[in-house]
Amino acid sequence: MLKMTELREARGWSRAELGRRARIHPVRIGMIENLRVRPYWCECERIAAALEVPPSELFDSEGWPLGGEAVRIREINPVEKAEEGKSRQEG
């Protein structure tokens, strides 16, 4: 489980509540927690402020959430990008 999710759940907050406090749409919070997107730095700061922790406790230097399957996702993304590049060249 992601550190961000652990802290949110420890406070008894839903994604909607964290989103309200951080001024980020709850669907976007879910996408960040599910490692579908990497948050913008301003989102990292707002999420951390809402949870009252420094951003370094939640996100690595590249903006990926800490914990969970972040390493696996980072390993997949370069392959997906390479495949996208091939299909663009072929198309």
Side-chain angles (χ1 to χ4, degrees):
M1 181 180 296
L2 296 180
K3 181 72 171 173
M4 174 179 149
T5 307
E6 288 176 15
L7 291 170
R8 176 180 62 77
E9 290 178 350
R11 287 161 175 72
W13 296 351
S14 64
R15 289 178 178 163
E17 179 62 17
L18 176 56
R20 185 186 69 75
R21 291 171 183 258
R23 299 179 327 276
I24 299 171
H25 195 280
V27 171
R28 179 90 176 153
I29 295 290
M31 292 174 75
I32 293 167
E33 287 186 345
N34 290 319
L35 303 171
R36 297 268 185 210
V37 297
R38 181 175 18 196
Y40 295 107
W41 185 248
C42 62
E43 292 174 319
C44 297
E45 291 178 319
R46 293 196 323 241
I47 291 167
L51 293 169
E52 299 178 338
V53 297
S56 61
E57 252 187 72
L58 302 176
F59 302 96
D60 70 15
S61 62
E62 295 178 4
W64 286 103
L66 295 173
E69 306 236 345
V71 172
R72 186 184 70 80
I73 297 298
R74 274 185 253 155
E75 291 171 355
I76 292 170
N77 282 341
V79 173
E80 291 174 353
K81 287 180 183 177
E83 289 174 0
E84 285 177 11
K86 281 184 183 178
S87 65
R88 285 184 191 156
Q89 290 174 350
E90 295 170 358

Coordinates of all heavy atoms in Angstrom, one line a residue:
M1 N 0.8 -1.2 0.0 CA 0.0 0.0 0.0 C 0.9 1.2 0.0 O 1.9 1.3 0.6 CB -0.9 0.0 1.2 CG -1.8 1.2 1.3 SD -2.9 1.2 2.7 CE -3.9 -0.3 2.5
L2 N 0.5 2.3 -0.7 CA 1.2 3.5 -0.8 C 1.2 4.2 0.5 O 0.2 4.2 1.3 CB 0.6 4.4 -1.9 CG 0.7 3.9 -3.3 CD1 0.1 5.0 -4.2 CD2 2.1 3.6 -3.7
K3 N 2.3 4.9 0.8 CA 2.3 5.8 2.0 C 1.2 6.8 2.1 O 0.6 7.0 3.1 CB 3.7 6.5 2.1 CG 3.9 7.3 3.3 CD 4.1 6.5 4.5 CE 4.6 7.4 5.7 NZ 4.6 6.6 6.9
M4 N 0.9 7.4 0.9 CA -0.1 8.4 0.8 C -1.5 7.7 1.2 O -2.3 8.3 1.9 CB -0.2 8.8 -0.7 CG -1.3 9.8 -1.0 SD -1.1 10.2 -2.8 CE -2.8 10.4 -3.2
T5 N -1.8 6.6 0.7 CA -3.0 5.9 1.0 C -3.1 5.5 2.5 O -4.1 5.7 3.1 CB -3.2 4.6 0.2 OG1 -3.0 4.9 -1.2 CG2 -4.5 3.9 0.4
E6 N -2.0 5.0 3.0 CA -1.9 4.7 4.5 C -2.2 5.9 5.3 O -3.1 5.8 6.3 CB -0.5 4.2 4.9 CG -0.2 2.8 4.3 CD 1.2 2.4 4.7 OE1 1.9 3.0 5.5 OE2 1.7 1.4 4.0
L7 N -1.6 7.0 5.0 CA -1.9 8.3 5.8 C -3.3 8.7 5.6 O -4.0 9.2 6.6 CB -0.9 9.4 5.4 CG 0.5 9.1 5.8 CD1 1.5 10.1 5.1 CD2 0.7 9.2 7.3
R8 N -3.9 8.6 4.4 CA -5.2 9.1 4.2 C -6.2 8.2 5.0 O -7.1 8.7 5.7 CB -5.6 9.0 2.7 CG -7.0 9.3 2.4 CD -7.3 9.2 0.9 NE -7.1 7.9 0.3 CZ -8.0 6.8 0.4 NH1 -9.1 6.9 1.2 NH2 -7.7 5.7 -0.2
E9 N -6.0 6.9 4.9 CA -6.9 5.9 5.6 C -6.7 6.0 7.1 O -7.7 5.9 7.9 CB -6.6 4.5 5.1 CG -7.1 4.3 3.7 CD -6.9 2.9 3.2 OE1 -6.1 2.1 3.8 OE2 -7.4 2.6 2.1
A10 N -5.5 6.3 7.6 CA -5.3 6.5 9.1 C -6.1 7.6 9.6 O -6.5 7.6 10.8 CB -3.8 6.7 9.4
R11 N -6.4 8.6 8.8 CA -7.2 9.8 9.2 C -8.6 9.5 9.0 O -9.5 10.4 9.4 CB -6.7 11.0 8.4 CG -5.4 11.5 8.9 CD -4.7 12.4 7.8 NE -3.5 13.0 8.3 CZ -2.3 12.4 8.4 NH1 -2.3 11.1 8.1 NH2 -1.3 13.0 8.8
G12 N -9.0 8.4 8.4 CA -10.4 8.1 8.2 C -11.0 8.8 7.0 O -12.2 9.0 6.9
W13 N -10.1 9.3 6.1 CA -10.6 10.2 5.0 C -10.8 9.3 3.8 O -10.1 8.4 3.5 CB -9.5 11.2 4.6 CG -9.2 12.2 5.7 CD1 -9.9 12.4 6.8 CD2 -8.2 13.2 5.6 NE1 -9.3 13.5 7.5 CE2 -8.3 14.0 6.8 CE3 -7.2 13.5 4.7 CZ2 -7.4 15.0 7.1 CZ3 -6.3 14.5 4.9 CH2 -6.4 15.3 6.1
S14 N -11.8 9.7 3.0 CA -12.1 9.1 1.7 C -11.2 9.8 0.7 O -10.6 10.9 1.1 CB -13.5 9.3 1.3 OG -13.8 10.7 1.2
R15 N -11.1 9.3 -0.5 CA -10.4 10.1 -1.5 C -11.0 11.4 -1.8 O -10.3 12.4 -2.0 CB -10.4 9.2 -2.8 CG -9.5 8.0 -2.7 CD -9.5 7.2 -4.0 NE -8.6 6.1 -3.9 CZ -8.6 5.0 -4.7 NH1 -9.5 5.0 -5.6 NH2 -7.8 4.1 -4.5
A16 N -12.3 11.5 -1.7 CA -13.1 12.7 -1.8 C -12.6 13.7 -0.8 O -12.4 14.9 -1.1 CB -14.6 12.5 -1.8
E17 N -12.5 13.3 0.5 CA -12.1 14.2 1.5 C -10.7 14.7 1.3 O -10.4 15.9 1.5 CB -12.2 13.5 2.9 CG -11.8 14.4 4.1 CD -12.7 15.7 4.2 OE1 -13.8 15.8 3.7 OE2 -12.2 16.6 4.9
L18 N -9.7 13.8 1.0 CA -8.4 14.2 0.7 C -8.4 15.2 -0.5 O -7.7 16.2 -0.5 CB -7.4 13.1 0.4 CG -6.0 13.4 0.0 CD1 -5.3 14.3 1.0 CD2 -5.2 12.1 -0.3
G19 N -9.1 14.9 -1.5 CA -9.2 15.8 -2.7 C -9.8 17.1 -2.3 O -9.2 18.1 -2.8
R20 N -10.8 17.2 -1.5 CA -11.3 18.5 -1.0 C -10.3 19.3 -0.3 O -10.1 20.5 -0.6 CB -12.5 18.3 -0.1 CG -13.2 19.5 0.3 CD -14.3 19.3 1.3 NE -13.8 18.9 2.6 CZ -13.2 19.7 3.5 NH1 -13.1 21.0 3.2 NH2 -12.8 19.2 4.6
R21 N -9.5 18.6 0.6 CA -8.5 19.3 1.4 C -7.3 19.7 0.6 O -6.7 20.8 0.9 CB -8.1 18.4 2.6 CG -9.1 18.3 3.6 CD -8.7 17.2 4.7 NE -9.7 17.0 5.6 CZ -9.7 17.5 6.9 NH1 -8.7 18.2 7.3 NH2 -10.7 17.2 7.7
A22 N -7.0 18.9 -0.4 CA -5.8 19.2 -1.3 C -6.2 20.0 -2.6 O -5.3 20.4 -3.3 CB -5.1 17.9 -1.7
R23 N -7.5 20.2 -2.8 CA -8.0 20.9 -4.0 C -7.6 20.2 -5.2 O -7.2 20.7 -6.2 CB -7.5 22.4 -4.0 CG -8.0 23.2 -2.8 CD -7.5 24.6 -2.8 NE -6.2 24.9 -3.4 CZ -5.1 24.8 -2.8 NH1 -5.1 24.4 -1.5 NH2 -3.9 25.1 -3.4
I24 N -7.8 18.8 -5.2 CA -7.5 17.9 -6.3 C -8.8 17.0 -6.5 O -9.3 16.5 -5.5 CB -6.3 17.1 -6.1 CG1 -5.1 18.0 -5.9 CG2 -6.1 16.1 -7.2 CD1 -3.8 17.2 -5.4
H25 N -9.2 16.8 -7.7 CA -10.4 16.0 -7.9 C -10.2 14.6 -7.4 O -9.1 14.0 -7.5 CB -10.7 15.9 -9.4 CG -12.1 15.4 -9.7 ND1 -12.4 14.1 -9.7 CD2 -13.2 16.1 -10.0 CE1 -13.6 13.9 -10.0 NE2 -14.2 15.1 -10.2
P26 N -11.2 14.0 -6.7 CA -11.0 12.7 -6.1 C -10.6 11.6 -7.1 O -9.9 10.6 -6.8 CB -12.4 12.4 -5.5 CG -13.2 13.5 -5.6 CD -12.5 14.6 -6.4
V27 N -11.1 11.7 -8.4 CA -10.7 10.7 -9.4 C -9.2 10.8 -9.6 O -8.5 9.8 -9.8 CB -11.5 11.0 -10.7 CG1 -10.9 10.1 -11.8 CG2 -13.0 10.7 -10.5
R28 N -8.6 12.0 -9.6 CA -7.2 12.2 -9.8 C -6.5 11.6 -8.6 O -5.4 11.0 -8.8 CB -6.9 13.7 -10.0 CG -5.4 14.0 -10.1 CD -5.0 14.1 -11.5 NE -3.6 14.5 -11.6 CZ -2.8 14.1 -12.5 NH1 -3.2 13.4 -13.5 NH2 -1.5 14.6 -12.5
I29 N -7.0 11.8 -7.4 CA -6.4 11.2 -6.2 C -6.3 9.7 -6.4 O -5.3 9.0 -6.2 CB -7.2 11.5 -4.9 CG1 -7.1 13.0 -4.6 CG2 -6.7 10.7 -3.7 CD1 -5.8 13.6 -4.2
G30 N -7.4 9.1 -6.9 CA -7.4 7.6 -7.1 C -6.4 7.2 -8.2 O -5.8 6.2 -8.0
M31 N -6.3 8.0 -9.2 CA -5.3 7.7 -10.3 C -3.9 7.7 -9.7 O -3.1 6.9 -10.1 CB -5.5 8.6 -11.4 CG -6.8 8.4 -12.2 SD -7.1 9.7 -13.5 CE -6.0 9.1 -14.7
I32 N -3.6 8.7 -8.9 CA -2.3 8.8 -8.2 C -2.1 7.6 -7.3 O -1.0 6.9 -7.4 CB -2.1 10.1 -7.5 CG1 -2.2 11.3 -8.4 CG2 -0.9 10.1 -6.6 CD1 -2.3 12.7 -7.7
E33 N -3.1 7.3 -6.5 CA -2.9 6.1 -5.6 C -2.8 4.8 -6.3 O -2.1 3.9 -5.8 CB -4.1 6.1 -4.6 CG -4.1 7.1 -3.6 CD -5.2 7.0 -2.5 OE1 -6.2 6.2 -2.8 OE2 -5.1 7.7 -1.5
N34 N -3.4 4.7 -7.5 CA -3.4 3.5 -8.3 C -2.2 3.5 -9.3 O -2.1 2.6 -10.1 CB -4.7 3.2 -9.0 CG -5.8 2.9 -8.0 OD1 -5.6 2.1 -7.1 ND2 -7.0 3.4 -8.2
L35 N -1.3 4.5 -9.2 CA -0.2 4.6 -10.0 C -0.5 4.7 -11.5 O 0.3 4.2 -12.3 CB 0.8 3.5 -9.7 CG 1.3 3.4 -8.3 CD1 2.1 2.1 -8.0 CD2 2.1 4.6 -7.9
R36 N -1.6 5.2 -11.8 CA -2.0 5.4 -13.2 C -1.3 6.7 -13.8 O -1.1 6.8 -15.0 CB -3.5 5.6 -13.3 CG -4.3 4.4 -12.9 CD -4.5 3.5 -14.1 NE -5.3 2.4 -13.8 CZ -5.2 1.2 -14.4 NH1 -4.3 1.1 -15.4 NH2 -6.0 0.2 -14.1
V37 N -1.1 7.7 -12.9 CA -0.5 8.9 -13.3 C 0.6 9.3 -12.3 O 0.5 8.9 -11.1 CB -1.5 10.1 -13.4 CG1 -2.5 9.8 -14.6 CG2 -2.2 10.4 -12.1
R38 N 1.5 10.1 -12.7 CA 2.5 10.7 -11.8 C 2.0 12.1 -11.5 O 1.8 12.9 -12.5 CB 3.9 10.7 -12.4 CG 4.9 11.3 -11.5 CD 6.3 11.2 -12.0 NE 6.4 11.0 -13.4 CZ 7.5 10.6 -14.0 NH1 8.6 10.4 -13.4 NH2 7.5 10.5 -15.4
P39 N 1.8 12.5 -10.3 CA 1.3 13.8 -10.0 C 2.3 14.9 -10.3 O 3.5 14.7 -10.3 CB 1.1 13.8 -8.5 CG 2.0 12.8 -8.0 CD 2.1 11.7 -9.0
Y40 N 1.7 16.1 -10.7 CA 2.5 17.3 -10.8 C 3.1 17.7 -9.4 O 2.5 17.3 -8.4 CB 1.6 18.5 -11.3 CG 1.1 18.2 -12.7 CD1 -0.2 17.9 -12.9 CD2 2.0 18.3 -13.8 CE1 -0.7 17.7 -14.2 CE2 1.5 18.0 -15.1 CZ 0.1 17.8 -15.3 OH -0.4 17.5 -16.5
W41 N 4.2 18.4 -9.4 CA 4.8 18.7 -8.2 C 3.9 19.5 -7.3 O 3.8 19.3 -6.1 CB 6.1 19.5 -8.4 CG 6.8 19.7 -7.0 CD1 7.0 20.9 -6.4 CD2 7.3 18.7 -6.1 NE1 7.6 20.7 -5.2 CE2 7.8 19.4 -5.0 CE3 7.3 17.3 -6.2 CZ2 8.3 18.7 -3.9 CZ3 7.9 16.6 -5.1 CH2 8.4 17.3 -4.0
C42 N 3.1 20.4 -7.9 CA 2.1 21.2 -7.1 C 1.1 20.3 -6.4 O 0.7 20.6 -5.3 CB 1.5 22.3 -7.9 SG 0.5 21.7 -9.3
E43 N 0.7 19.2 -7.1 CA -0.2 18.3 -6.5 C 0.5 17.5 -5.3 O -0.1 17.3 -4.3 CB -0.7 17.3 -7.5 CG -1.6 17.9 -8.5 CD -1.9 16.9 -9.6 OE1 -1.1 16.1 -10.1 OE2 -3.1 16.9 -10.1
C44 N 1.8 17.2 -5.5 CA 2.5 16.5 -4.4 C 2.5 17.4 -3.2 O 2.3 17.0 -2.1 CB 4.0 16.3 -4.8 SG 4.2 15.1 -6.2
E45 N 2.8 18.7 -3.4 CA 2.8 19.7 -2.3 C 1.5 19.8 -1.6 O 1.4 19.9 -0.4 CB 3.3 21.0 -2.8 CG 4.8 21.0 -3.2 CD 5.2 22.4 -3.7 OE1 4.5 23.0 -4.5 OE2 6.4 22.7 -3.4
R46 N 0.4 19.9 -2.4 CA -0.9 20.1 -1.8 C -1.4 18.8 -1.1 O -2.0 18.9 0.0 CB -1.9 20.5 -2.9 CG -1.6 21.9 -3.5 CD -2.7 22.5 -4.3 NE -3.5 21.7 -5.1 CZ -3.6 21.8 -6.4 NH1 -2.9 22.7 -7.1 NH2 -4.4 21.0 -7.1
I47 N -1.1 17.6 -1.6 CA -1.4 16.4 -0.9 C -0.7 16.3 0.4 O -1.3 16.0 1.4 CB -1.2 15.2 -1.8 CG1 -2.2 15.1 -3.0 CG2 -1.3 13.9 -1.0 CD1 -1.8 14.2 -4.1
A48 N 0.6 16.6 0.3 CA 1.4 16.5 1.6 C 0.9 17.5 2.6 O 0.8 17.2 3.8 CB 2.9 16.8 1.2
A49 N 0.6 18.7 2.2 CA 0.1 19.8 3.1 C -1.2 19.3 3.7 O -1.4 19.5 4.9 CB -0.1 21.1 2.4
A50 N -2.1 18.7 2.9 CA -3.4 18.3 3.5 C -3.2 17.2 4.5 O -3.9 17.1 5.5 CB -4.3 17.7 2.3
L51 N -2.2 16.3 4.3 CA -1.9 15.2 5.2 C -0.9 15.6 6.3 O -0.6 14.8 7.2 CB -1.3 14.0 4.4 CG -2.2 13.3 3.4 CD1 -1.5 12.4 2.5 CD2 -3.3 12.6 4.2
E52 N -0.4 16.9 6.2 CA 0.5 17.4 7.2 C 1.8 16.7 7.3 O 2.3 16.4 8.4 CB -0.2 17.6 8.6 CG -1.4 18.5 8.5 CD -2.2 18.6 9.8 OE1 -2.0 17.8 10.7 OE2 -2.9 19.6 10.0
V53 N 2.4 16.4 6.2 CA 3.7 15.7 6.1 C 4.5 16.4 5.0 O 3.9 17.0 4.1 CB 3.6 14.2 5.8 CG1 2.9 13.5 7.0 CG2 2.9 13.9 4.5
P54 N 5.8 16.3 5.0 CA 6.6 16.8 3.9 C 6.4 16.0 2.7 O 6.2 14.7 2.8 CB 8.0 16.8 4.4 CG 8.1 15.8 5.6 CD 6.7 15.8 6.1
P55 N 6.5 16.6 1.5 CA 6.3 15.8 0.3 C 7.3 14.6 0.1 O 7.0 13.6 -0.4 CB 6.5 16.8 -0.9 CG 6.2 18.1 -0.3 CD 6.6 18.0 1.2
S56 N 8.5 14.8 0.7 CA 9.5 13.7 0.6 C 9.0 12.4 1.3 O 9.5 11.3 1.1 CB 10.8 14.2 1.2 OG 10.6 14.5 2.6
E57 N 8.0 12.5 2.2 CA 7.5 11.3 2.9 C 6.5 10.6 2.0 O 6.2 9.4 2.2 CB 6.7 11.7 4.2 CG 7.5 11.3 5.4 CD 6.7 11.6 6.6 OE1 5.7 10.8 6.9 OE2 7.0 12.5 7.4
L58 N 6.0 11.2 0.9 CA 5.0 10.6 0.1 C 5.5 10.3 -1.3 O 5.1 9.3 -1.9 CB 3.8 11.6 -0.1 CG 3.1 12.0 1.2 CD1 2.1 13.0 0.8 CD2 2.5 10.8 1.9
F59 N 6.5 11.1 -1.9 CA 6.9 10.9 -3.2 C 8.4 10.9 -3.4 O 9.1 11.6 -2.6 CB 6.3 12.1 -4.1 CG 4.8 12.2 -4.0 CD1 4.2 13.1 -3.1 CD2 4.0 11.5 -4.8 CE1 2.9 13.2 -3.0 CE2 2.6 11.6 -4.7 CZ 2.1 12.4 -3.8
D60 N 8.9 10.1 -4.3 CA 10.3 10.2 -4.6 C 10.7 11.4 -5.4 O 9.9 12.2 -5.8 CB 10.8 8.8 -5.2 CG 10.3 8.6 -6.7 OD1 9.9 9.6 -7.3 OD2 10.4 7.5 -7.2
S61 N 12.0 11.5 -5.8 CA 12.5 12.7 -6.5 C 11.9 12.8 -7.9 O 11.9 13.9 -8.5 CB 14.0 12.7 -6.5 OG 14.4 11.5 -7.2
E62 N 11.3 11.8 -8.4 CA 10.7 11.8 -9.8 C 9.2 12.0 -9.7 O 8.6 12.0 -10.7 CB 11.1 10.6 -10.5 CG 12.5 10.4 -10.8 CD 12.8 9.1 -11.6 OE1 11.9 8.4 -11.9 OE2 14.0 8.8 -11.8
G63 N 8.7 12.2 -8.5 CA 7.2 12.4 -8.4 C 6.4 11.1 -8.2 O 5.2 11.2 -8.2
W64 N 7.1 10.0 -8.2 CA 6.3 8.7 -8.0 C 5.9 8.5 -6.6 O 6.8 8.7 -5.7 CB 7.1 7.5 -8.5 CG 7.2 7.4 -10.0 CD1 8.3 7.7 -10.7 CD2 6.2 7.0 -10.9 NE1 8.0 7.5 -12.0 CE2 6.7 7.1 -12.2 CE3 4.9 6.5 -10.7 CZ2 6.0 6.7 -13.3 CZ3 4.2 6.2 -11.8 CH2 4.7 6.3 -13.1
P65 N 4.7 8.1 -6.3 CA 4.3 7.8 -4.9 C 5.2 6.7 -4.3 O 5.5 5.8 -5.0 CB 2.9 7.4 -5.0 CG 2.4 8.0 -6.2 CD 3.6 8.0 -7.2
L66 N 5.5 6.8 -3.0 CA 6.4 5.8 -2.4 C 5.5 4.6 -1.9 O 4.4 4.8 -1.4 CB 7.1 6.4 -1.2 CG 8.2 7.5 -1.6 CD1 8.7 8.1 -0.3 CD2 9.3 6.9 -2.4
G67 N 6.1 3.4 -2.0 CA 5.4 2.2 -1.5 C 4.7 1.5 -2.6 O 4.8 1.9 -3.8
G68 N 4.0 0.4 -2.3 CA 3.2 -0.3 -3.3 C 4.1 -0.8 -4.4 O 5.2 -1.3 -4.2
E69 N 3.5 -0.7 -5.6 CA 4.1 -1.2 -6.8 C 4.8 -0.2 -7.7 O 5.0 -0.4 -8.9 CB 3.1 -2.0 -7.6 CG 2.3 -3.0 -6.8 CD 2.4 -4.3 -7.4 OE1 2.7 -4.5 -8.6 OE2 2.0 -5.3 -6.7
A70 N 5.2 0.9 -7.1 CA 5.8 2.0 -7.9 C 7.0 1.6 -8.7 O 7.1 2.0 -9.8 CB 6.2 3.2 -7.0
V71 N 7.8 0.7 -8.1 CA 9.0 0.3 -8.9 C 8.6 -0.6 -10.1 O 9.1 -0.4 -11.2 CB 9.9 -0.6 -8.0 CG1 11.1 -1.2 -8.8 CG2 10.5 0.3 -6.9
R72 N 7.6 -1.4 -9.9 CA 7.2 -2.2 -11.1 C 6.6 -1.4 -12.2 O 6.9 -1.5 -13.3 CB 6.1 -3.2 -10.6 CG 5.7 -4.2 -11.7 CD 4.5 -5.1 -11.3 NE 3.3 -4.4 -11.1 CZ 2.5 -4.0 -12.1 NH1 2.8 -4.3 -13.3 NH2 1.4 -3.4 -11.9
I73 N 5.8 -0.4 -11.8 CA 5.2 0.5 -12.8 C 6.3 1.3 -13.5 O 6.3 1.4 -14.7 CB 4.2 1.5 -12.1 CG1 3.1 0.8 -11.5 CG2 3.7 2.6 -13.1 CD1 2.2 0.0 -12.4
R74 N 7.3 1.8 -12.8 CA 8.4 2.5 -13.5 C 9.1 1.6 -14.4 O 9.6 2.1 -15.5 CB 9.4 3.1 -12.4 CG 8.9 4.4 -11.9 CD 9.9 5.0 -11.0 NE 9.4 4.8 -9.7 CZ 10.0 4.8 -8.5 NH1 11.3 4.8 -8.6 NH2 9.4 4.7 -7.4
E75 N 9.2 0.3 -14.2 CA 9.9 -0.6 -15.1 C 9.1 -0.8 -16.3 O 9.6 -1.0 -17.4 CB 10.2 -1.9 -14.4 CG 11.3 -1.8 -13.3 CD 11.4 -3.0 -12.5 OE1 10.6 -4.0 -12.7 OE2 12.3 -3.1 -11.6
I76 N 7.8 -0.7 -16.2 CA 6.9 -1.0 -17.4 C 6.9 0.2 -18.3 O 6.9 0.1 -19.5 CB 5.5 -1.4 -16.9 CG1 5.5 -2.7 -16.2 CG2 4.5 -1.3 -18.1 CD1 4.2 -3.1 -15.5
N77 N 6.8 1.4 -17.7 CA 6.6 2.6 -18.5 C 7.6 2.8 -19.7 O 7.2 3.1 -20.8 CB 6.5 3.8 -17.6 CG 5.2 4.0 -17.0 OD1 4.2 3.4 -17.4 ND2 5.1 4.7 -15.9
P78 N 8.9 2.6 -19.5 CA 9.8 2.8 -20.6 C 9.5 1.9 -21.8 O 9.6 2.2 -23.0 CB 11.2 2.5 -20.1 CG 11.0 2.8 -18.6 CD 9.6 2.4 -18.3
V79 N 9.0 0.7 -21.5 CA 8.7 -0.3 -22.6 C 7.4 0.2 -23.3 O 7.4 0.2 -24.6 CB 8.4 -1.7 -22.0 CG1 7.9 -2.6 -23.1 CG2 9.7 -2.3 -21.4
E80 N 6.5 0.7 -22.6 CA 5.2 1.2 -23.2 C 5.6 2.4 -24.1 O 5.0 2.5 -25.2 CB 4.2 1.6 -22.2 CG 3.6 0.4 -21.4 CD 2.7 0.8 -20.3 OE1 2.6 2.0 -20.0 OE2 2.1 -0.1 -19.7
K81 N 6.5 3.3 -23.6 CA 6.9 4.4 -24.4 C 7.6 4.0 -25.7 O 7.3 4.6 -26.8 CB 7.7 5.3 -23.6 CG 7.0 6.1 -22.5 CD 7.9 7.0 -21.8 CE 7.1 7.7 -20.7 NZ 8.0 8.5 -19.8
A82 N 8.4 3.0 -25.6 CA 9.1 2.5 -26.8 C 8.1 1.9 -27.8 O 8.3 2.2 -29.0 CB 10.1 1.4 -26.4
E83 N 7.1 1.2 -27.3 CA 6.1 0.6 -28.2 C 5.3 1.7 -28.9 O 5.0 1.6 -30.1 CB 5.2 -0.3 -27.5 CG 5.9 -1.6 -27.1 CD 5.1 -2.5 -26.2 OE1 3.9 -2.2 -25.9 OE2 5.6 -3.6 -25.9
E84 N 5.0 2.8 -28.1 CA 4.3 3.9 -28.7 C 5.1 4.6 -29.8 O 4.5 4.9 -30.9 CB 3.9 4.9 -27.6 CG 2.9 4.6 -26.7 CD 2.6 5.6 -25.6 OE1 3.2 6.7 -25.7 OE2 1.9 5.3 -24.6
G85 N 6.4 4.7 -29.6 CA 7.2 5.4 -30.6 C 7.3 4.5 -31.8 O 7.3 5.1 -33.0
K86 N 7.3 3.2 -31.7 CA 7.4 2.3 -32.9 C 6.1 2.5 -33.7 O 6.1 2.6 -34.9 CB 7.5 0.9 -32.5 CG 8.9 0.5 -32.2 CD 9.0 -1.0 -31.9 CE 10.3 -1.5 -31.5 NZ 10.3 -2.9 -31.1
S87 N 4.9 2.5 -33.0 CA 3.6 2.5 -33.7 C 3.5 3.9 -34.4 O 2.9 4.0 -35.5 CB 2.5 2.3 -32.8 OG 2.4 3.2 -31.8
R88 N 4.0 5.0 -33.8 CA 3.9 6.3 -34.5 C 4.8 6.3 -35.7 O 4.4 6.9 -36.7 CB 4.4 7.4 -33.5 CG 3.4 7.7 -32.4 CD 3.9 8.8 -31.6 NE 3.0 8.9 -30.4 CZ 3.4 9.5 -29.3 NH1 4.6 10.0 -29.1 NH2 2.5 9.5 -28.3
Q89 N 6.0 5.7 -35.7 CA 6.8 5.6 -36.8 C 6.2 4.8 -38.0 O 6.4 5.1 -39.1 CB 8.2 5.1 -36.5 CG 9.0 6.1 -35.6 CD 10.3 5.5 -35.1 OE1 10.5 4.3 -35.3 NE2 11.1 6.3 -34.5
E90 N 5.6 3.7 -37.6 CA 5.0 2.8 -38.6 C 3.7 3.4 -39.2 O 3.4 3.1 -40.3 CB 4.7 1.5 -38.0 CG 5.9 0.7 -37.5 CD 5.6 -0.5 -36.7 OE1 4.4 -0.8 -36.5 OE2 6.5 -1.2 -36.3
G91 N 3.0 4.2 -38.4 CA 1.7 4.7 -38.8 C 1.8 5.9 -39.7 O 1.7 6.3 -40.7

